[in-house]
Each structure stands twice: as C-alpha cells, then as structure tokens.
Amino acid sequence: MKHLLPLHKSAAYRYIPFRIIVFTITLLVSLFSSIEVKAINTKTATVTGNWNDGTIWSPSGVPKDTDNVIINSGVTVTVNGTNTCRNLSIGNSTSSAGGVKIIANGNTLTVTGDLDFNAGNKNSTYTIDAGPGDMYFNGTFSHWSTSGTTNFKVGTGSLNFTPAISIANSGQHIIFTDGGTINFNSNF
C-alpha cells in the first residue's frame, strides 16, 4: 500500500508519494551536512621558530589559511613551506624587534586579509623579509606604523602587493638585497 500525503487542500486533491518526500529530505540533509565550515581562529607566535612548527604557536598547531596570525614583538617566524593566513599582525605592545622571513627558495607566504605592520606602534625594528621566496599581500594594509623602523625586504624572491601602499615616514623602508622584484598591483 502506498503512503500518500496531501500536497494542498483544494477541490482536486493532489498527493505526493511518501517515499519522494523522504528521499527529498534525506538529500537535503546530506547536502547540508557535507558543507565544510572553516572556523576563523587566531594563532599567536610566542617564540622564534619555523612557521610549520606547531609548538611555536598559541594555541598549538600550524596556522590554517583561515586563521588570523599574530607575530609577537621579539619573535621572528621563518616561513618554511607554502603557507597562507587570513590576517597578519606583526608586533604588539612590547618594544622588541620581530618579523617574518623566508630563507629558502620555493617557500611562500600569502596573506589574504589584512596586514598590520608594527601593530603596537613601538620604537623598534620590524621586518618582513621575502629573501629568496615569495610573499603575497592580497587583502588590505590597514596599518604601517610611523613609529620605529619597519622594513620590507626582498632578496632574489618577490614581494607582491594588491593593496595600495605609501611611504609616509623616514622609518618605513623597502629594501632590495639582491635582484628580486616588488610588484605593486595598485597605487604606490
């Protein structure tokens, strides 16, 4: 015997077989349960070390592409692979130098969200050094401190900026240490 449910209460009753309703509900549940939701977390580098070393980060674990990354003052993180993060903030409330660098060819860092450089506005030296690798800043550049010294450096690799940037202070530097390139995909 077929189980039938009324579709609409009208003069001419229409029925949908019960198994079609069950199939449709099952399909919708399986579709929505297979959608992966990525959480946005914050990872803070608390000691100097390699990006792919989960023990330098708090909470422990290597940052994912959706994570916000903070590199504390006094800490230098070496990119040792192909890494992506959402937002990158370098420097905080203490006056110790810090930064992020690449020392081996073929390594890359991509920031898809906001870059905050010398976030604590401290009178110290902070450096983003692409070295022989490639760094991509594809989001926004909300803050390039006018306090202390902030350096973008490139060796044989490349620095690539999508957001507009400008040098507004004598402490802000772009430094070439070899034959690398800097690409400005917006205003400079």
Side-chain angles (χ1 to χ4, degrees):
M1 173 174 188
K2 289 186 179 181
H3 295 284
L4 301 176
L5 297 176
L7 174 65
H8 186 269
K9 292 184 178 181
S10 67
Y13 286 96
R14 293 182 220 144
Y15 291 92
I16 299 175
F18 182 72
R19 64 179 169 229
I20 291 177
I21 292 174
V22 171
F23 172 77
T24 303
I25 291 171
T26 304
L27 181 65
L28 289 173
V29 168
S30 72
L31 175 68
F32 288 117
S33 67
S34 67
I35 295 174
E36 181 179 347
V37 177
K38 293 186 177 184
I40 297 173
N41 297 310
T42 298
K43 296 283 190 171
T44 303
T46 57
V47 297
T48 295
N50 291 329
W51 187 285
N52 289 332
D53 178 358
T55 64
I56 72 164
W57 301 101
S58 177
S60 184
V62 177
K64 295 180 176 59
D65 61 347
T66 56
D67 289 342
N68 297 323
V69 171
I70 298 171
I71 299 175
N72 279 340
S73 297
V75 173
T76 299
V77 176
T78 301
V79 176
N80 60 329
T82 300
N83 302 101
T84 300
C85 67
R86 184 170 178 246
N87 297 324
L88 176 62
S89 178
I90 297 175
N92 60 1
S93 60
T94 64
S95 294
S96 301
V100 62
K101 65 181 179 176
I102 297 176
I103 59 172
N105 188 22
N107 292 328
T108 64
L109 175 63
T110 302
V111 179
T112 60
D114 185 53
L115 174 62
D116 190 352
F117 199 15
N118 187 3
N121 284 318
K122 296 300 177 181
N123 190 18
S124 194
T125 301
Y126 299 91
T127 303
I128 295 175
D129 186 355
D134 301 301
M135 291 188 179
Y136 300 90
F137 301 97
N138 296 335
T140 56
F141 193 178
S142 67
H143 184 245
W144 186 358
S145 178
T146 55
S147 299
T149 302
T150 49
N151 302 314
F152 281 104
K153 290 174 68 175
V154 64
T156 56
S158 69
L159 286 167
N160 302 277
F161 296 95
T162 296
I165 67 169
S166 62
I167 295 176
N169 183 281
S170 63
Q172 298 171 328
H173 304 115
I174 297 177
I175 303 167
F176 288 91
T177 59
D178 210 332
T181 60
I182 298 180
N183 299 303
F184 299 99
N185 298 317
S186 193
N187 294 331
F188 174 70

